[in-house]
């Protein structure tokens, strides 16, 4: 076991040099984790289970890495506080040196920071895993990574990540049985557990900043229904939500609604079903009524990144500037007034608005302060795939489903952070196996920008995820004839407000 002393307040170069000097035990690996936020703890816990490995956790936030490592109390964990952004020459140079000595790197930094980390990993010959969507900047590094023999594995979280692996594995089995996927939907949502969702009119709570959720309410989306492209403008997204049909496992037990999730079109090719699937849809799950209420917040301008009106510093002033008071709100429903009142905007308990905040910033701070998880509450992760399957040999068509329900621990680690952190950590472990005796002499070489739709990735990760509590329940429903659009597990599309159908060639 490598015994590591807590990092002192050293210069970046000295701190990282001290980390580099802590060699793993024989047969162990040196792993660098960048970022020590909410998803880091489950990842660090899994990666440090082997006492022979050394896991260095780096954060720019004072005390963050130390708290994460102290929570586990393992001697093979080393926290470092270093500002290692590319703009900080000393910290960045020292980090690049450390990455050059590492066997793998897990980046839990914001997505915009992955590309420079990936370049450093290519230069150092170090495999990299991230939980974020693969960006254009990362894709631009593919050929360099291939030439260097370095894998850059992205989208190893919950969504994207666990959804990719479970869907790809399900589709592969359909193919092996001679079937063709004619319609595909994949739904995912991180929500409060049902027993604590009713304590707020939004039926929603936040375990981290609401800014991302607010921003996502303005994302445009598109998907296909019966071969036609259906487009949803960003300003119409919230009003495009549809109830989750009770034909699904989740829909039979929970009152949920579905929002289109960005651009579903590339996923037909990613999953290899572009030649056969006439309908492809990816959606976000929320409890029923969430989208309608948030749409009214948007109508009041509360989700816009616009400057505050001059002189506004309190919530009553901000709402009054939009014609909303506790007793008069011509532009808002009674439900919105009640929701705002529950957030404390008129009773003096809402925080004062920062002078440099936008309206969306102020709304995010309000939600964060009033809709955080209370002691004893827990979150939930819901995911469901539904595939319509046709058989060319005349067998009856089927609907195959695969669903996941996972709950966090009250007063403990959330299911959201576990699903992201554990998936990412398993990606690191898979890359560490490359070239080892356990990977086998004929193992598929991994290099370049990768996603977890590769069998060599999901065959490794899915059984281990099941052992960690992320097991899928599958079902098969047989149909007498081929499915129609009405049976397709996705929004009705062209009949839904905000949807605009276009030809597939548009």
């Amino acid at each position: 076991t490598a015994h590591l002393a807590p990092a002192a307040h050293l210069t970046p170069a000295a701190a990282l040099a001290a980390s580099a000097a802590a060699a793993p035990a024989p047969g162990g690996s040196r792993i660098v984790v960048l970022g020590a936020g909410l998803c880091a703890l489950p990842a660090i816990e899994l990666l440090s289970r082997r006492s022979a490995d050394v896991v260095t956790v780096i954060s720019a936030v004072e005390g963050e890495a130390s708290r994460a490592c102290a929570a586990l109390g393992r001697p093979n964990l080393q926290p470092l506080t270093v500002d290692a952004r590319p703009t900080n020459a000393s910290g960045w140079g020292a980090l690049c040196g450390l990455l050059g000595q590492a066997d793998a790197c897990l980046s839990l930094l914001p997505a915009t920071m992955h590309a420079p980390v990936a370049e450093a990993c290519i230069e150092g010959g170090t495999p990299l895993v991230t939980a974020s969507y693969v960006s254009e900047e990362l894709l631009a590094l593919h050929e360099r990574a291939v030439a260097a023999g370095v894998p850059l594995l992205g989208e190893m979280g919950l969504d994207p990540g666990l959804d990719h692996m479970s869907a790809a594995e399900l589709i592969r089995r359909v193919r092996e049985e001679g079937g063709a996927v004619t319609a595909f939907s994949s739904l995912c949502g991180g929500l409060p557990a049902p027993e604590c969702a009713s304590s707020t009119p939004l039926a929603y709570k936040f375990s981290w900043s609401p800014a991302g959720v607010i921003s996502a309410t303005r994302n445009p989306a598109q998907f296909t229904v019966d071969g036609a492209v259906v487009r949803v403008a960003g300003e119409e997204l919230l009003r495009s939500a549809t109830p989750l049909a009770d034909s699904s496992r989740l829909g039979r037990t929970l009152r949920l609604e579905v929002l289109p999730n960005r651009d579903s079109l590339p996923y037909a090719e990613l999953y290899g079903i572009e030649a056969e699937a006439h309908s492809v849809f990816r959606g976000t799950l929320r409890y029923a009524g969430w989208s309608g209420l948030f749409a009214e917040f948007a109508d009041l301008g509360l989700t816009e990144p616009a400057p505050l009106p001059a002189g506004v510093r309190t919530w009553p002033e901000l709402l009054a500037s939009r014609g909303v008071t506790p007793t008069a709100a011509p532009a808002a429903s009674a439900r919105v007034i009640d929701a705002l009142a529950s957030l404390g905007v008129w009773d003096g308990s809402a925080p004062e608005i920062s002078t440099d905040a936008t309206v969306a910033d102020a709304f995010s701070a309000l939600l964060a302060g009033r809709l955080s998880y209370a002691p004893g509450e827990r979150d939930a992760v819901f995911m469901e795939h539904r595939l319509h399957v046709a058989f060319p040999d005349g067998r009856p068509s089927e609907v195959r489903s695969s669903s996941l329900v996972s709950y966090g621990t009250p007063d403990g680690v959330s299911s959201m952070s576990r699903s992201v952190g554990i998936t990412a950590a398993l990606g690191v472990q898979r890359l560490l196996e490359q070239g080892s005796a356990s990977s086998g002499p004929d193992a598929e070489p991994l290099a370049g920008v990768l996603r977890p739709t590769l069998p060599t990735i999901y065959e490794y990760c899915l059984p281990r995820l099941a052992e960690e509590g992320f097991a899928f329940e599958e079902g098969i429903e047989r149909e007498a004839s081929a499915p129609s659009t009405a049976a397709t597990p996705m929004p009705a599309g062209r009949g839904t407000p905000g949807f605009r159908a276009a030809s597939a060639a548009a």
Side-chain angles (χ1 to χ4, degrees):
T1 302
H3 292 272
L4 306 177
H9 291 277
L10 306 172
T11 65
L16 294 172
S19 174
S29 300
R30 189 195 308 277
I31 303 165
V32 173
V33 177
L34 302 179
L38 291 169
C39 293
L41 187 62
I44 296 166
E45 190 281 322
L46 191 148
L47 291 172
S48 62
R49 288 179 190 175
R50 284 194 351 131
S51 59
D53 296 334
V54 169
V55 181
T56 301
V57 183
I58 301 175
S59 172
V61 179
E62 185 69 38
E64 188 176 59
S66 295
R67 286 191 296 272
C69 294
L72 296 171
R74 293 178 179 168
N76 59 335
L77 287 170
Q78 183 177 44
L80 292 178
T81 300
V82 176
D83 180 358
R85 290 174 294 181
T87 52
N88 180 13
S90 61
W92 178 251
L95 175 62
C96 291
L98 179 59
L99 289 176
Q101 300 180 53
D103 297 296
C105 174
L106 170 58
S107 177
L108 297 173
L109 300 173
T112 54
M113 301 178 71
H114 291 326
V117 171
E119 290 194 68
C121 285
I122 293 171
E123 291 297 322
T126 307
L128 171 68
V129 174
T130 83
S132 304
Y133 282 103
V134 171
S135 64
E136 291 299 321
E137 292 79 10
L138 202 62
L139 279 175
L141 300 174
H142 176 71
E143 296 301 329
R144 284 179 55 191
V146 169
V150 175
L152 307 175
L153 176 58
E155 305 189 4
M156 279 298 291
L158 169 65
D159 175 2
L162 188 49
D163 59 339
H164 285 338
M165 294 188 284
S166 51
E169 198 270 343
L170 194 62
I171 291 168
R172 185 185 70 172
R173 279 193 277 120
V174 166
R175 291 272 175 77
E176 290 173 346
E177 296 173 28
V181 178
T182 59
F184 170 86
S185 78
S186 179
L187 312 176
C188 184
L191 297 165
E195 73 272 11
C196 60
S198 59
S199 63
T200 162
L202 275 77
Y204 198 84
K205 296 206 169 190
F206 298 91
S207 55
W208 49 59
S209 172
V213 172
I214 293 173
S215 175
T217 63
R218 301 187 297 272
N219 287 335
Q222 58 181 357
F223 52 93
T224 56
V225 175
D226 288 343
V229 176
V230 179
R231 295 190 173 94
V232 184
E235 61 270 21
E236 297 293 341
L237 179 71
L238 292 166
R239 287 190 166 82
S240 72
T242 57
L244 179 62
D246 59 12
S247 58
S248 76
R249 176 196 171 202
L250 295 178
R252 286 192 292 269
T253 56
L254 296 166
R255 291 183 63 244
L256 297 168
E257 62 189 23
V258 183
L259 289 156
N261 183 6
R262 305 195 188 198
D263 186 1
S264 298
L265 272 57
Y267 291 87
E269 183 177 355
L270 181 64
Y271 296 148
I273 57 175
E274 68 274 18
E276 64 209 58
H278 55 69
S279 301
V280 177
F281 178 83
R282 295 179 76 245
T284 299
L285 293 169
R286 293 286 184 262
Y287 286 118
W290 182 92
S291 301
L293 185 55
F294 237 87
E296 292 200 63
F297 289 147
D299 289 343
L300 293 175
L302 300 182
T303 64
E304 290 296 322
L308 292 168
V312 166
R313 292 294 176 267
T314 68
W315 270 97
E317 291 171 346
L318 176 57
L319 293 172
S321 73
R322 281 152 168 73
V324 179
T325 70
T327 57
S333 69
R335 183 186 176 205
V336 169
I337 298 302
D338 290 343
L340 289 169
S342 74
L343 294 172
V345 296
W346 288 298
D347 65 8
S349 63
E352 184 170 322
I353 299 174
S354 172
T355 56
D356 59 351
T358 66
V359 176
D361 292 337
F363 191 43
S364 176
L366 177 69
L367 296 177
R370 301 304 294 243
L371 296 183
S372 58
Y373 282 87
E377 293 185 332
R378 59 178 183 162
D379 75 326
V381 164
F382 303 128
M383 183 181 291
E384 186 165 88
H385 309 301
R386 287 176 66 82
L387 283 62
H388 284 268
V389 180
F391 295 95
D393 60 8
R395 281 176 285 167
S397 58
E398 302 173 343
V399 176
R400 298 199 178 189
S401 63
S402 179
S403 55
L404 169 71
V405 176
S406 172
Y407 293 102
T409 303
D411 301 321
V413 181
S414 69
S415 183
M416 176 63 73
S417 61
R418 290 190 74 247
S419 62
V420 175
I422 290 174
T423 302
L426 286 172
V428 171
Q429 291 188 337
R430 171 61 189 88
L431 296 187
L432 285 171
E433 281 207 350
Q434 180 151 282
S436 68
S438 61
S439 65
D442 300 320
E444 180 181 355
L446 296 173
V449 177
L450 309 170
R451 292 181 175 92
T453 51
L454 296 172
T456 188
I457 302 295
Y458 64 71
E459 287 174 355
Y460 177 91
C461 293
L462 286 175
R464 290 165 173 81
L465 282 161
E467 293 174 359
E468 300 292 336
F470 297 101
F472 284 79
E473 180 178 312
E474 297 186 0
I476 299 177
E477 304 165 31
R478 301 197 181 278
E479 295 181 330
S481 59
S484 65
T485 299
T488 301
M490 56 189 67
R494 287 156 288 190
T496 304
F499 288 154
R500 178 169 62 86
S503 69

